[in-house]
Amino acid sequence: MYFITPLAYNQEIDIEQQRNDTMKKQNTFAAYLLIGVGAYFLLRQLKIPIVTDFYSWPTLLIIVGLALLIHSYTAKNYQNLFVGTIILGLGIHFHGVAHYPFWIDHWAVYLLIVGIAFLVRYVHTKAGLFPGMLLIAISVIMIFSINLPVWFDWVYIVVDVIEKFWPILLIIIGIYLLFKKKK
């Protein structure tokens, strides 16, 4: 015979409640995503002239990024803030490059997007302030390096080296992350 003790019964209820909460959180993300994609295709079907610039694949990136951010804030589960900010930023950047002649199309914009993602995550998790500020500073210097005064000529040399060998930096960071000891 199988007897359920009150403690075991309470543990089963807790496990079931956690499963239900997890499913609800997954369903809310799917709901936000479906609402965004549905609105995108509805506006595309209606062919409203004011939003014709948004009938493109970067808009889908914007929708996915917004869905991740809205889900993170409403569920108070901030682990997707970083990824959501990066996807939203990439969508906005690709849309801007495709549709606005004044948009800055420079490789440092990607550093700026990642730096902003670190800061957005920092607001809720208190982790990533230094990398975020560093990436934003580097990206702003690189974007506006064309207009630097003469006494900043050394920056051009550094930028040339970085632009030539940046894949090596990615490899080094990846190796560091692989072998870094967890505390």
Side-chain angles (χ1 to χ4, degrees):
M1 272 181 95
Y2 179 70
F3 294 102
I4 298 177
T5 64
L7 180 63
Y9 181 72
N10 287 340
Q11 288 174 343
E12 286 180 21
I13 290 174
D14 289 342
I15 291 171
E16 188 65 30
Q17 183 66 33
Q18 288 175 352
R19 265 192 226 127
N20 289 340
D21 290 344
T22 302
M23 287 299 287
K24 186 176 180 182
K25 286 179 183 178
Q26 290 172 349
N27 288 342
T28 56
F29 172 68
Y32 295 133
L33 193 58
L34 288 173
I35 290 168
V37 171
Y40 168 79
F41 284 112
L42 176 65
L43 290 173
R44 195 171 175 151
Q45 290 286 43
L46 296 175
K47 297 181 182 170
I48 299 172
I50 199 166
V51 291
T52 55
D53 284 350
F54 290 97
Y55 301 153
S56 61
W57 67 268
T59 304
L60 294 174
L61 284 178
I62 293 170
I63 291 168
V64 171
L66 281 174
L68 281 167
L69 290 174
I70 291 169
H71 176 264
S72 293
Y73 282 113
T74 57
K76 294 184 180 22
N77 184 4
Y78 303 118
Q79 68 187 16
N80 291 328
L81 286 177
F82 187 78
V83 175
T85 305
I86 288 176
I87 293 173
L88 175 64
L90 289 173
I92 291 171
H93 175 66
F94 293 140
H95 177 77
V97 167
H99 293 90
Y100 306 113
F102 63 85
W103 200 267
I104 297 172
D105 189 16
H106 191 276
W107 63 266
V109 172
Y110 303 112
L111 289 181
L112 181 65
I113 292 168
V114 174
I116 291 170
F118 270 113
L119 291 183
V120 168
R121 187 181 72 176
Y122 170 77
V123 169
H124 292 286
T125 64
K126 303 301 181 219
L129 177 64
F130 179 72
M133 296 302 286
L134 181 66
L135 288 173
I136 289 172
I138 291 171
S139 69
V140 168
I141 290 171
M142 294 299 118
I143 289 170
F144 297 108
S145 66
I146 306 165
N147 302 325
L148 290 177
V150 176
W151 45 278
F152 267 116
D153 280 344
W154 61 272
V155 172
Y156 297 118
I157 296 168
V158 172
V159 169
D160 287 340
V161 170
I162 290 172
E163 285 180 344
K164 189 177 288 186
F165 297 110
W166 66 269
I168 294 172
L169 181 64
L170 292 178
I171 292 168
I172 291 169
I173 292 170
I175 291 171
Y176 169 76
L177 291 174
L178 268 177
F179 295 110
K180 181 177 105 172
K181 302 271 185 197
K182 294 183 180 180
K183 295 179 182 179

